[in-house]
Amino acid sequence: MSFLKAYAHWIVLAAAGVLVAVQARPPSAHEGQIDLNEFGKLPVQHGGRIKPLDSLARSSLLLISNQQEFKDKDGHKHPAIKWLIEVMCATDPRRGPVAEYELFRIENYQVLNLLGLPAKPGWYRYSLAEIQSGYDRFIEALERAKAKDDKQQDDFDGKVLELGRRLFIYQELAEHRVPQAVPPSQPDGKWRTLAEVDAAIAPPSMRRAAFEHVLDQVREWLKKEGKDPDELPQSEHALLARLASERAEKMINEIIESKRPAVSPPADAFMKVLEAYREGKADRFNTALNAYRTNHLVYVSESDVTRAGSEAFLNHFTPFYLAGIMYAWAILFGCLSWLYWHETFRKAAFWLVLLGWLIHTATLLARMYLMDRPFVFVTNLYSSAVFIGWAAVLGGLVLELIFRNGIGLVSGAVTGGATAIIAHNLLATAGNADSLEMLQAVLDTNFWLATHVSAVTLGYAATWLSGILGILYIVLGLFTPALSRKAAKILTSMMYATVCFATLLSFTGTVLGGIWADYSWGRFWGWDPKENGAVLIVIWNALILHARWGGMIKQRGLAVLCVAGSMFVVWSWFGTNQLGVGLHAYGFSNTLALFCTIMWGFYLCVIAAGLVPLRYWWSVREQAALQAALAGGPKARKLFPQASR
Amino acid sequence: MPESAAKKDVPILPAVDSAEGSDAGLTFLQFMGMVLRPIASLRLTVVLFSLCLILVFFGTLAQIKDGVWTVVDKYFYSEVVWIPLQLIAEFCKVFFRSLGFPQDATWGGSFPFPGGFTLGWALLANLVAAHLVRFRISWKRSGILLIHSGVAVLLIGEYVTRKYAVESTMTIAVGETVNFVDRSLAVELAVIDRSDPKIDDVVVIPQRLLKKKGLIQHPDLPVDLRVTEYHKNSDVRPLRAESDTVPDELVAADGQRYQVLARDEAAGVDPNQKHDAPMMRIDALQKGSDEVLRTFLLTLWQYPNFTNRQIDLPAQKLTVGDKEYALELRPKREYKPYSVTLLKFEHAVYPGTDVPKDFASTVRLEDPERNQVRDQVRIWMNHPLTHRGQTLYQSSYLPGDVGTVLQVVRNPGGDLPYWSCLMIAGGMVLHFGIHLIGFLGRRAVA
């Protein structure tokens, strides 16, 4: 036992290290297997930037099904890139095996009714084949919803439009209209989509001519058979047209296939890769892929190719998920440390948090490298969540190094874990699910992104961290006997210090934002909702400090106000965005608004608990009892032995 | 920690000691102390902060329905604001939607609340009084003093900006030279006589008179005018079907007919927010009589520089005798001693998308008074041009990239926020730094 007590934290660290190492090992195909991982690294242009196919696959799947993996019919999980290549290879994307995957997320009962589909509670994902039966009704509803003004659309319209967008993403991929996968074939050339290359070879006029040609042939044949083509019944007319169009399509495809190698060698090489996959020939696939990589990416800058590869690796490494696991275990060990084996569990938690934070840091740096924006941490809502988590964990680690009681670890890890979950959900509900998306023109300045946005976000992080400390104070004090006088005093110092930092950072950040605004459009302050949100946080923190200096609040009051501060963070961070989001961003605004409501409800409950009269607090009664039995020094369980040092 | 620090402060003004001072009467300082002490109270600070929070919160919510400048005027640059209860309903509509809050809820009534000016001045008074009564100048308090002075400068800066800053736009098509700006927030009615090929004869009626409605008479006007309707915002809708007819339709240069509809003011938080396009209906009367010559429907949509405009609506014409006048509802115009020529406009997008990457205008600025020419100046995102204390920013562009819209700003209080934030940030670092070092020092000793 004593051995375990002395070395348990090293064992934990070693286990965590092994997990990281396993996850970091690049997946490699065995000899003679299709190497989808290499395929995923191929650079393509999409959303205004060069990214690996793997990222496109993940973001598309995320938008369609809210997951980055998919299950086949037997319930086996597969990576997104496998789905992407199958969609791109599909000869008929509306039928065939790829239409059988249950991917399209539909949870609205009205939409399910419209499509005539049964509800699948807890899963809610449907295959294209399932949707097919009610497809015509759906398209009618979609047209109706699109025709309406934004403000007149109701819930149902919103959900119909959402499914419409999901189907559209799929359709664009299947028809090769996305991404721009054909690299330039001369210096400074443009990327093109495979569909554009095909259209250049066979323009619509050629397709029409082919169709008419086939139709004429059929009419000739009919006449020879002694039938008048104009006297055919309506149903046979339609059949005739369909057959003619299929035949014409085939002709056109043959022309395209034959001309493509000359018109666009890169497109041809790319199609060869897809063809090899379609036929399931691993050797040919890998050779074709290799040929494409070496021969056809010559006019793509080397750094773009390397970046795409690194991004694909980062996708696979899932660093935030890993860090989240570290934080989750750290929370467990941190809490355990307050019950048994204080030092051992605290050290275990410390190393886990540190390891998680290092992964977190490395990923932030990697993202800077991928975006080519040094010192820019935050470029969108997703990265703000990641950065808030990172900063809060750092704050927690600093508090831990000062106070050595596990509190900094647990509160930092809670924020780190929570923001990892929030970030994931933000990504899934964002318009393009691309965490490295390009920036709006006015935001395209590294200096202000690095200063203003980082400072404001750090202010949010510090305010939130103080809220978590407040929650700890209230929960430990009210529901456990663990909050000794000394512990309470330390926790108060921690809250106070965090609020001071929060005030400094949120104020500096807000003012830097004002200067940026002044600099770019001549107005220091515009009273817009986001600015107002930031100023609310500044005023709230200033209020806490003044109330404390004036002696209006003591420890418990400080804790309650800190918790309330988190409510302001939720308001500024997400709440203000909801006001303007029209009905066109349905799923997004509804889930985020609900998230805000739930968070506020939770904080209000904690605040209510914090307002319970002190005489009912377990820790207060414990302390009183202790005082009563002071002389003999009965052994009270101490929460923070370190604190007595 | 801070509480004890506050107690140690020796006040500049002596406390009122009733035992000593009862007979001799109050000295001036004692009297001042008595008056200032309640004003200087930290409790008051906290109360004022809370009121500010509530004001800012409702001032944000109000932007769901009203335009940002209306809200700013009503809430932040005012003494008292009546806050409608409907705002709370609007909040619930967004955030309690999933809990089944009715989406058509209307809550009548409103309550009075101190506006931004009241709270700003009160905070300033509280701050100054606190320093007079409570604080002594010492190294330990230097941070606080710096922070508070910075806050004072910030409040004053915002006041100066409000009072004296002017924002306007300058719309220039490529190759054109322009020497006037459109004031963004006000409109005017111009009656233009273009019969002289060299000089236009223009009579301008300010927004104030138009908004008041009623009769407008002036010797320089060829007719009397009577405003019968005035709306803050309007929209134009194309009339597609032949059978669709409305009393006063407008016909664009391409023959498309349009209907003009009165609209609510654009909301402050609307992500697609455009400028408001006021509209009005006006009777032209025979001078000095009640005889209506013609009725006009005028809207900002007819103004060529209105940036929302994608439609070419010709100006309304009025013929009096043998002269023809153009009636133009346009943003308040201000002439500048300099002119700007747009040489080139660039609108870059991210490759393979429509997402704008950058906008840039290359201009030549000529200032004949100062005999100054600045040629080939590139104005782009985050890179404005400053001339005569006025700053020209890249703001928007004309449809089809045929021209640019520059924002022209003059703000005499523009430097104050910079000083303020330097003071506050420096003060905070100083104050928290002193305490942190002290705190860590004590821990190390203990």
Side-chain angles (χ1 to χ4, degrees):
Chain A
M1 275 309 255
S2 63
F3 169 79
L4 206 56
K5 193 173 174 178
Y7 295 107
H9 53 285
W10 295 121
I11 299 171
V12 168
L13 182 63
V18 169
L19 178 66
V20 174
V22 168
Q23 194 72 10
R25 199 171 56 94
S28 54
H30 295 290
E31 194 68 22
Q33 268 187 348
I34 284 180
D35 195 350
L36 274 183
N37 183 51
E38 275 305 308
F39 180 70
K41 285 186 196 166
L42 287 189
V44 292
Q45 181 172 282
H46 179 246
R49 71 185 187 93
I50 308 293
K51 62 170 82 164
L53 272 172
D54 185 68
S55 290
L56 175 72
R58 282 169 193 264
S59 60
S60 305
L61 200 56
L62 197 59
L63 286 172
I64 288 176
S65 78
N66 211 10
Q67 288 182 327
Q68 297 196 7
E69 292 173 326
F70 73 101
K71 277 189 198 164
D72 63 16
K73 273 199 291 186
D74 306 325
H76 296 300
K77 280 191 177 178
H78 297 287
I81 188 70
K82 183 173 160 63
W83 167 77
L84 180 70
I85 194 170
E86 286 185 14
V87 173
M88 292 178 93
C89 284
T91 37
D92 185 354
R94 284 170 71 169
R95 277 161 276 271
V98 68
E100 300 284 325
Y101 298 139
E102 295 183 357
L103 295 175
F104 293 87
R105 199 175 155 86
I106 312 172
E107 62 282 78
N108 182 289
Y109 284 94
Q110 279 175 291
V111 179
L112 288 175
N113 267 340
L114 177 79
L115 292 165
L117 293 173
K120 296 183 195 170
W123 176 240
Y124 288 117
R125 288 180 182 85
Y126 298 84
S127 71
L128 210 55
E130 284 174 288
I131 293 172
Q132 214 55 246
S133 59
Y135 191 71
D136 295 336
R137 284 194 301 281
F138 171 75
I139 293 297
E140 276 171 36
L142 185 65
E143 293 304 327
R144 271 200 306 278
K146 275 186 185 165
K148 284 188 193 173
D149 210 45
D150 276 2
K151 300 220 161 117
Q152 288 164 348
Q153 291 164 2
D154 56 18
D155 259 347
F156 172 67
D157 294 326
K159 290 292 176 191
V160 165
L161 287 171
E162 184 183 76
L163 181 58
R165 279 194 298 274
R166 290 179 172 163
L167 289 167
F168 186 64
I169 292 171
Y170 178 84
Q171 194 183 352
E172 281 195 317
L173 289 172
E175 292 175 1
H176 296 173
R177 285 187 283 134
V178 158
Q180 284 154 324
V182 185
S185 39
Q186 75 236 25
D188 298 326
K190 277 190 176 156
W191 287 75
R192 287 190 295 173
T193 65
L194 289 164
E196 279 166 352
V197 171
D198 288 359
I201 300 170
S205 59
M206 190 187 199
R207 286 177 188 270
R208 251 197 323 278
F211 175 72
E212 258 145 41
H213 173 71
V214 173
L215 207 59
D216 281 345
Q217 278 185 332
V218 177
R219 288 166 76 97
E220 287 296 311
W221 176 77
L222 277 174
K223 274 182 195 157
K224 254 187 230 164
E225 294 285 304
K227 287 180 193 165
D228 186 353
D230 296 323
E231 297 289 300
L232 286 176
Q234 196 63 37
S235 59
E236 282 181 38
H237 242 337
L239 185 71
L240 199 67
R242 194 162 70 85
L243 287 174
S245 108
E246 274 174 18
R247 173 87 189 95
E249 187 74 8
K250 210 168 158 220
M251 274 172 59
I252 291 291
N253 282 345
E254 277 164 14
I255 296 173
I256 292 174
E257 295 294 329
S258 66
K259 285 194 178 168
R260 201 190 277 127
V263 174
S264 170
D268 184 58
F270 195 93
M271 290 307 285
K272 286 225 166 65
V273 177
L274 293 184
E275 212 174 278
Y277 185 84
R278 197 178 296 137
E279 285 161 18
K281 303 237 166 79
D283 290 343
R284 255 184 61 199
F285 179 87
N286 295 343
T287 328
L289 187 60
N290 210 2
Y292 177 80
R293 284 194 76 97
T294 40
N295 301 333
H296 296 288
L297 295 176
V298 267
Y299 297 112
V300 182
S301 78
E302 206 165 311
S303 69
D304 277 343
V305 178
T306 333
R307 281 206 172 95
S310 318
E311 189 178 332
F313 169 75
L314 206 62
N315 288 342
H316 161 78
F317 185 47
T318 55
F320 295 130
Y321 171 74
L322 267 184
I325 291 181
M326 304 294 152
Y327 297 147
W329 281 100
I331 296 169
L332 180 73
F333 286 125
C335 291
L336 276 178
S337 80
W338 298 332
L339 300 174
Y340 324 96
W341 289 8
H342 179 77
E343 247 339 79
T344 314
F345 281 131
R346 196 185 69 80
K347 275 186 194 156
F350 177 82
W351 289 114
L352 282 176
V353 172
L354 188 64
L355 185 62
W357 183 77
L358 287 175
I359 298 173
H360 216 137
T361 313
T363 315
L364 281 176
L365 295 175
R367 287 173 55 88
M368 282 175 200
Y369 156 72
L370 289 178
M371 297 197 80
D372 199 14
R373 291 179 183 281
F375 302 108
V376 172
F377 294 95
V378 179
T379 54
N380 53 14
L381 212 50
Y382 169 83
S383 45
S384 76
V386 169
F387 184 58
I388 285 184
W390 179 84
V393 174
L394 176 63
L397 281 170
V398 170
L399 286 176
E400 185 62 26
L401 288 175
I402 299 174
F403 295 98
R404 295 175 186 279
N405 54 18
I407 289 183
L409 290 177
V410 170
S411 45
V414 166
T415 324
T419 50
I421 297 169
I422 290 172
H424 172 81
N425 283 305
L426 281 173
L427 193 58
T429 52
N432 52 9
D434 183 358
S435 73
L436 295 161
E437 66 190 331
M438 294 288 108
L439 288 160
Q440 291 290 325
V442 70
L443 297 178
D444 191 6
T445 127
N446 288 348
F447 176 74
W448 292 111
L449 283 173
T451 51
H452 156 67
V453 181
S454 301
V456 161
T457 319
L458 282 172
Y460 285 8
T463 311
W464 206 355
L465 188 61
S466 77
I468 290 189
L469 292 170
I471 294 175
L472 270 179
Y473 184 96
I474 293 168
V475 170
L476 288 177
L478 184 61
F479 300 114
T480 76
L483 195 72
S484 65
R485 290 245 162 96
K486 210 150 207 163
K489 193 157 178 254
I490 289 175
L491 206 45
T492 309
S493 303
M494 293 168 89
M495 280 189 275
Y496 177 76
T498 319
V499 170
C500 290
F501 266 103
T503 316
L504 174 65
L505 291 166
S506 52
F507 177 82
T508 314
T510 309
V511 170
L512 282 172
I515 292 178
W516 181 8
D518 186 39
Y519 193 62
S520 57
W521 57 85
R523 189 185 298 145
F524 181 76
W525 193 252
W527 299 101
D528 102 339
K530 205 75 183 173
E531 292 173 351
N532 288 353
V535 90
L536 281 181
I537 292 186
V538 178
I539 300 179
W540 183 252
N541 282 318
L543 183 147
I544 297 180
L545 291 180
H546 285 84
R548 177 116 181 102
W549 294 332
M552 278 160 263
I553 51 169
K554 303 233 156 44
Q555 294 180 348
R556 188 250 300 250
L558 182 63
V560 168
L561 292 192
C562 282
V563 176
S566 304
M567 297 178 70
F568 284 102
V569 173
V570 173
W571 167 254
S572 322
W573 194 9
F574 302 118
T576 50
N577 287 19
Q578 302 311 310
L579 299 179
V581 175
L583 299 173
H584 44 268
Y586 239 78
F588 180 66
S589 82
N590 250 0
T591 33
L592 260 186
L594 184 64
F595 170 77
C596 292
T597 315
I598 293 171
M599 291 302 278
W600 287 327
F602 167 72
Y603 286 127
L604 281 178
C605 290
V606 177
I607 290 174
L611 295 177
V612 168
L614 278 176
R615 63 178 178 279
Y616 298 115
W617 286 43
W618 191 346
S619 288
V620 174
R621 299 219 311 245
E622 186 85 1
Q623 290 295 309
L626 228 134
Q627 206 114 46
L630 190 68
K635 269 193 75 172
R637 214 168 42 199
K638 273 188 199 152
L639 175 54
F640 313 122
Q642 284 309 94
S644 56
R645 259 194 347 186
Chain B
M1 292 307 292
E3 303 106 294
S4 54
K7 277 175 208 146
K8 265 186 265 165
D9 270 323
V10 180
I12 300 170
L13 295 172
V16 183
D17 194 326
S18 54
E20 262 177 52
S22 53
D23 292 325
L26 297 171
T27 66
F28 175 70
L29 278 183
Q30 280 172 332
F31 174 73
M32 284 303 288
M34 222 169 81
V35 173
L36 287 178
R37 209 162 298 277
I39 301 176
S41 136
L42 259 178
R43 264 172 212 282
L44 182 64
T45 316
V46 171
V47 169
L48 287 174
F49 277 155
S50 314
L51 293 176
C52 285
L53 285 171
I54 297 169
L55 182 72
V56 172
F57 179 70
F58 279 110
T60 311
L61 282 186
Q63 293 182 29
I64 296 178
K65 286 275 177 239
D66 289 323
V68 61
W69 294 112
T70 309
V71 171
V72 166
D73 277 340
K74 262 196 210 162
Y75 284 74
F76 303 120
Y77 301 132
S78 65
E79 280 74 34
V80 177
V81 49
W82 286 84
I83 298 177
L85 291 174
Q86 179 63 25
L87 291 184
I88 301 171
E90 292 297 332
F91 177 84
C92 296
K93 276 185 204 172
V94 176
F95 291 101
F96 300 146
R97 186 193 180 95
S98 324
L99 307 179
F101 190 85
Q103 290 300 301
D104 48 5
T106 44
W107 294 0
S110 56
F111 59 94
F113 204 82
F117 279 159
T118 312
L119 292 179
W121 288 120
L123 271 171
L124 205 58
N126 175 250
L127 187 63
V128 173
H131 276 271
L132 287 179
V133 173
R134 222 176 312 120
F135 294 127
R136 193 175 53 156
I137 296 171
S138 71
W139 168 239
K140 230 180 162 178
R141 313 300 291 174
S142 56
I144 294 277
L145 187 66
L146 207 53
I147 294 171
H148 284 168
S149 323
V151 169
V153 173
L154 192 66
L155 290 174
I156 292 165
E158 184 58 19
Y159 183 77
V160 171
T161 301
R162 171 60 193 163
K163 279 283 179 216
Y164 304 106
V166 177
E167 287 184 17
S168 47
T169 54
M170 190 177 248
T171 307
I172 324 169
V174 177
E176 211 179 42
T177 305
V178 166
N179 68 338
F180 62 86
V181 294
D182 292 330
R183 293 280 290 268
S184 321
L185 296 174
V187 290
E188 64 189 15
L189 174 63
V191 181
I192 310 163
D193 172 8
R194 294 207 167 102
S195 52
D196 185 338
K198 280 186 195 142
I199 294 169
D200 289 354
D201 190 2
V202 185
V203 183
V204 170
I205 303 158
Q207 174 172 279
R208 188 170 40 87
L209 292 178
L210 302 174
K211 262 186 164 172
K212 255 198 329 206
K213 300 189 195 163
L215 198 63
I216 299 164
Q217 289 171 309
H218 194 274
D220 287 348
L221 282 173
V223 287
D224 289 347
L225 294 170
R226 185 167 58 205
V227 183
T228 51
E229 257 181 71
Y230 185 91
H231 301 280
K232 277 186 175 175
N233 194 8
S234 66
D235 201 1
V236 285
R237 277 284 169 86
L239 295 168
R240 299 222 182 274
E242 279 296 316
S243 54
D244 258 355
T245 47
V246 288
D248 31 30
E249 58 186 38
L250 302 175
V251 184
D254 59 358
Q256 172 67 50
R257 296 173 304 131
Y258 289 93
Q259 176 187 14
V260 185
L261 300 160
R263 276 272 175 274
D264 288 341
E265 201 185 3
V269 294
D270 186 348
N272 307 314
Q273 192 195 353
K274 301 273 163 74
H275 294 287
D276 287 332
M279 101 183 215
M280 60 179 200
R281 203 180 290 278
I282 197 160
D283 291 336
L285 307 170
Q286 185 75 47
K287 248 179 156 12
S289 85
D290 221 15
E291 186 199 339
V292 178
L293 294 174
R294 225 186 117 180
T295 297
F296 291 96
L297 184 72
L298 296 170
T299 149
L300 202 59
W301 288 96
Q302 293 157 324
Y303 180 62
N305 278 358
F306 186 48
T307 49
N308 293 1
R309 190 172 120 135
Q310 315 262 353
I311 321 154
D312 186 10
L313 292 169
Q316 303 275 49
K317 297 276 163 62
L318 165 70
T319 319
V320 182
D322 56 347
K323 270 196 175 169
E324 197 183 52
Y325 297 88
L327 293 184
E328 212 172 58
L329 186 67
R330 64 189 194 189
K332 194 177 163 198
R333 192 171 278 196
E334 196 177 287
Y335 290 88
K336 296 285 174 195
Y338 55 87
S339 68
V340 180
T341 311
L342 180 63
L343 303 173
K344 192 169 77 170
F345 181 70
E346 296 158 82
H347 172 180
V349 293
Y350 284 109
T353 67
D354 302 326
V355 183
K357 188 177 175 8
D358 199 14
F359 302 103
S361 308
T362 310
V363 301
R364 181 171 62 240
L365 189 145
E366 284 178 69
D367 192 331
E369 248 175 57
R370 295 194 178 173
N371 212 2
Q372 210 178 359
V373 175
R374 300 172 71 175
D375 205 4
Q376 297 288 338
V377 185
R378 194 162 182 266
I379 302 174
W380 45 299
M381 291 285 152
N382 297 319
H383 293 81
L385 160 70
T386 307
H387 182 74
R388 283 185 181 246
Q390 305 179 7
T391 317
L392 285 75
Y393 301 89
Q394 180 62 50
S395 163
S396 183
Y397 60 100
L398 293 177
D401 295 342
V402 295
T404 188
V405 180
L406 302 176
Q407 169 114 324
V408 182
V409 178
R410 188 184 65 219
N411 182 5
D415 290 340
L416 290 180
Y418 289 74
W419 291 111
S420 148
C421 74
L422 270 180
M423 289 159 80
I424 300 184
M428 281 199 202
V429 170
L430 199 62
H431 182 71
F432 295 139
I434 291 170
H435 278 283
L436 187 66
I437 290 164
F439 175 70
L440 291 179
R442 279 200 300 283
R443 274 190 70 82
V445 173

